[in-house]
Amino acid sequence: MKFHLVLFIFMLLFFSACEKLVVLHPENSEQKLSVEAIFSDFPVASYVRITKSKGIYEPITNHEQITDADVKIIDLTTNDTITLSYDINTENYKPAVAGIENHTCRLDIMAQGHHLTATNTMTGKVNLNGIISVPTADDPDLYYLKMKFDDPPAQEDYYLIIMQPQDPASGLESRFSVMSDMTYNRSSQTLSITDEFFHKNEDWIVFFFHIDRKNFNYFKVIHRAMKSLVNGAHPFYGLSLGNPQSTIDGAQTLGYFITSPVTVSPIRIGN
């Protein structure tokens, strides 16, 4: 016992004597412009948000917003240009018109001397026919969601589900899930979201998007990191699980541009 105690004290002294300054150089820690953009067939669900990322030692909330950018969406199918205006209430740039299925659109942004672009073709609409809340086996007050819809059988499809509390003052935080149809149950026509849980009598609004593969990959990395790291993860830094591949083109830029129809549905958990 004495031998082990002496050895332990020696090791402490050894590592103390060898202590040196460790400087972290995390991937992607330099400041970037972050673009979050969705253009749908429902203008209320469409938005562009432009912010600046933060350093690795800064809080991950309250990012500086860019409110004076020149933001356009160009419909390359019709050659129409849609100018987005900044809405101080939503803190987003908003379009006044709806996107059109199968049209190819280019997002064009001039922000603080940076030219940012992204091009995407709007997917076909997949209607959400209903949402079912199902109690978990371990806790009858804890529920997961089943999305009921007709998934196109010809190819692999990808879905982004954004869940927002109906009452912003409820204390509930918005969340999202992203899934492929590899786990779609064709007999019941449902896709289960088993990575997000809800409590009985909570009121939510669900936005159901049919997205493309490259944006699916982007959100999958972000979602996996959020679920794997304690207290979530900062979306602008290098992660041990891999960095998200931005779908926005531009130097020092990270973000996504989704062009998708949307179905919006309210749900009260447990009903």
Side-chain angles (χ1 to χ4, degrees):
M1 178 65 71
K2 289 183 179 180
F3 173 78
H4 290 296
L5 179 60
V6 171
L7 179 61
F8 177 70
I9 294 172
F10 172 78
M11 292 176 65
L12 286 178
L13 292 173
F14 176 79
F15 286 115
S16 297
C18 295
E19 182 180 351
K20 63 179 180 179
L21 178 65
V22 177
V23 180
L24 298 177
H25 297 285
E27 267 185 287
N28 290 341
S29 62
E30 66 273 16
Q31 190 174 70
K32 297 178 181 290
L33 293 182
S34 169
V35 177
E36 304 162 69
I38 294 180
F39 186 45
S40 80
D41 60 344
F42 183 38
V44 173
S46 300
Y47 64 89
V48 175
R49 180 180 174 87
I50 310 169
T51 56
K52 290 183 178 180
S53 67
K54 293 187 175 183
I56 189 70
Y57 299 109
E58 296 180 276
I60 66 173
T61 58
N62 300 319
H63 293 269
E64 179 185 348
Q65 294 191 46
I66 297 176
T67 63
D68 59 353
D70 181 16
V71 182
K72 296 182 177 69
I73 293 176
I74 303 166
D75 188 324
L76 299 178
T77 305
T78 62
N79 290 321
D80 292 329
T81 298
I82 304 161
T83 301
L84 283 70
S85 301
Y86 186 79
D87 183 349
I88 193 171
N89 295 315
T90 62
E91 299 184 333
N92 294 320
Y93 295 87
K94 302 289 292 183
V97 300
I100 302 172
E101 291 180 45
N102 302 315
H103 281 213
T104 300
C105 296
R106 184 173 75 237
L107 176 66
D108 193 281
I109 298 172
M110 284 298 301
Q112 298 188 346
H114 295 272
H115 187 207
L116 316 176
T117 63
T119 302
N120 208 355
T121 299
M122 185 171 287
T123 54
K125 193 175 186 74
V126 176
N127 286 309
L128 182 62
N129 299 324
I131 308 173
I132 306 165
S133 58
V134 182
T136 62
D138 297 332
D139 186 348
D141 186 49
L142 204 60
Y143 290 73
Y144 66 93
L145 300 182
K146 282 188 176 183
M147 319 301 289
K148 188 173 180 61
F149 61 97
D150 298 321
D151 176 71
Q155 72 282 326
E156 186 174 359
D157 291 279
Y158 311 95
Y159 300 99
L160 171 66
I161 302 101
I162 298 176
M163 296 145 281
Q164 295 182 351
Q166 291 187 30
D167 180 7
S170 65
L172 299 172
E173 294 186 355
S174 298
R175 56 188 74 178
F176 75 91
S177 186
V178 61
M179 306 183 73
S180 78
D181 61 3
M182 297 298 290
T183 58
Y184 178 76
N185 187 323
R186 298 204 174 273
S187 60
S188 64
Q189 296 181 313
T190 59
L191 184 66
S192 297
I193 303 175
T194 56
D195 51 23
E196 295 291 343
F197 298 101
F198 306 84
H199 290 92
K200 190 169 184 174
N201 295 326
E202 291 178 349
D203 293 311
W204 292 85
I205 298 177
V206 177
F207 296 80
F208 181 73
F209 297 92
H210 178 207
I211 66 174
D212 59 285
R213 176 63 184 264
K214 62 182 181 180
N215 279 296
F216 166 80
N217 290 339
Y218 177 90
F219 273 92
K220 196 66 178 178
V221 172
I222 295 293
H223 192 265
R224 187 181 298 132
M226 290 177 65
K227 293 299 179 183
S228 299
L229 301 181
V230 177
N231 296 323
H234 199 305
F236 308 125
Y237 303 142
L239 301 169
S240 59
L241 296 171
N243 296 316
Q245 182 64 49
S246 176
T247 65
I248 303 290
D249 295 323
Q252 297 304 314
T253 306
L254 188 67
Y256 58 87
F257 177 46
I258 289 173
T259 54
S260 165
V262 64
T263 303
V264 184
S265 177
I267 181 173
R268 166 161 282 197
I269 305 301
N271 288 0

